[in-house]
Amino acid sequence: MFKSPLITIAFLFFSSMAFCQADTAAAAKYFQKGYGLEAAKKYKEALAEYDSCVTANPNYNKVYLYRGLVKYYLLDFKGSVDDYTKFIAANPESAMAFDDRGYSRFLLGDNDGAMADYNKSITLNANIMRPYLNRGGLKSKLGQFKEAVADFNIALTLSPDNANLYFNIGVAQGVLEDYAAAVESFNCAIKIDPAFEQAYLYRATTKSLMRDFPGAADDFAKCLNINPKNSQALLSRGAMKLDQGDKTGACIDFNAALALGDKRAVEVIKENCKSK
């Protein structure tokens, strides 16, 4: 029986459509299962489901965004960048994807790539806090502390109750030797989060540099009250005591840091805590 080529082509077209729909349905099933596992922080299991999703339908594009995040959690930063790149190819206006890829590039040491991604993310949407935070962090890494503070301050306008932003501003101000401003930034971080261990540590160190030893001692104590195993606080407090001429007290702190496994204390003890 003769079949019209048009009918044959139409039949093949509809058969192809049905096949794609089946693939999409399977991909969606794998994706939803992977998403649930990712939400439960079962990242290896989630990755397996997302891989199955891609096998079922490589054009199920949103899986690349989520698989990129799972690979980030699993410390596969190169794989993460590759997946974000695939997602961006189909979604070039996604500010979030550029920011996410930028952070994975940052962790790979690709500073230029990270900066380009953060800039693109901000160009696409200037009203998201995280790209400014991440770009500020990269600028701090590059020694551009004034520029970093500028980015952190923009982020602060978008998230005014963010303790981490105040903390990052304080760290940059401290490096710039604007100690009074740094203390004020740490004050703001602690006001928002009274259990902010690192903010107490950095405020203590800054006060020590300002020769406010009582204030520094109080902050070191608060930091260690939150986390008695913070060996950096012990080393820094020991250094402050040494600066004040209290070698005995300093050596007690240095030895306490060593007891916690901090190998940095070895040379300090060797140099300053010699037995008579």
Side-chain angles (χ1 to χ4, degrees):
M1 180 179 177
F2 173 77
K3 290 185 179 179
S4 161
L6 183 60
I7 293 173
T8 302
I9 291 170
F11 176 78
L12 291 172
F13 174 74
F14 286 118
S15 297
S16 174
M17 281 186 62
F19 180 72
C20 288
Q21 287 169 356
D23 279 354
T24 299
K29 184 177 179 180
Y30 286 123
F31 175 81
Q32 289 300 327
K33 190 172 180 181
Y35 181 77
L37 289 164
E38 181 179 354
K41 299 183 179 181
K42 297 180 179 179
Y43 299 124
K44 289 183 179 179
E45 295 92 334
L47 179 62
E49 296 299 328
Y50 288 149
D51 287 344
S52 295
C53 175
V54 171
T55 300
N57 186 347
N59 295 317
Y60 197 85
N61 186 259
K62 68 179 178 179
V63 71
Y64 295 111
L65 182 66
Y66 290 84
R67 192 173 71 171
L69 183 59
V70 162
K71 288 180 179 179
Y72 157 78
Y73 284 127
L74 292 172
L75 308 181
D76 177 11
F77 303 127
K78 184 180 183 305
S80 177
V81 167
D82 290 343
D83 272 348
Y84 287 135
T85 300
K86 290 174 185 175
F87 180 82
I88 287 169
N91 301 272
E93 302 300 311
S94 174
M96 179 177 68
F98 277 103
D99 179 57
D100 285 342
R101 187 175 71 176
Y103 194 65
S104 288
R105 283 178 161 173
F106 169 79
L107 293 171
L108 283 170
D110 180 7
N111 296 331
D112 290 340
M115 186 68 78
D117 277 347
Y118 296 148
N119 289 341
K120 181 65 174 178
S121 179
I122 290 167
T123 298
L124 289 169
N125 189 342
N127 296 311
I128 303 176
M129 179 275 291
R130 199 176 65 181
Y132 292 106
L133 170 62
N134 287 337
R135 191 172 71 175
L138 175 55
K139 288 177 178 177
S140 290
K141 177 186 175 183
L142 296 172
Q144 301 169 6
F145 295 105
K146 288 184 179 179
E147 295 83 352
V149 169
D151 270 348
F152 293 144
N153 276 320
I154 294 172
L156 203 56
T157 66
L158 300 168
S159 183
D161 294 322
N162 191 311
N164 284 311
L165 282 171
Y166 280 111
F167 174 75
N168 281 289
I169 291 169
V171 171
Q173 289 169 331
V175 174
L176 291 168
E177 298 184 2
D178 188 355
Y179 298 136
V183 167
E184 184 55 36
S185 294
F186 296 136
N187 289 345
C188 292
I190 289 166
K191 183 177 180 181
I192 294 167
D193 180 4
F196 199 149
E197 175 188 342
Q198 291 298 94
Y200 285 111
L201 172 58
Y202 277 75
R203 190 172 70 175
T205 302
T206 305
K207 287 179 178 179
S208 178
L209 291 168
M210 297 172 73
R211 318 300 288 179
D212 176 11
F213 297 127
D218 185 55
D219 277 342
F220 282 129
K222 288 176 180 175
C223 175
L224 289 164
N225 184 56
I226 294 168
N227 179 12
K229 295 184 178 180
N230 190 320
S231 61
Q232 181 59 59
L234 290 164
L235 288 172
S236 296
R237 187 172 69 178
M240 181 186 74
K241 290 177 178 178
L242 201 62
D243 192 32
Q244 293 177 280
D246 180 10
K247 183 175 284 191
T248 300
C251 289
I252 290 172
D253 280 342
F254 295 150
N255 279 290
L258 182 62
L260 291 171
D262 195 324
K263 301 303 182 185
R264 295 174 297 174
V266 173
E267 289 301 318
V268 179
I269 292 169
K270 189 183 295 184
E271 183 178 345
N272 298 286
C273 306
K274 297 176 182 177
S275 300
K276 293 183 180 180

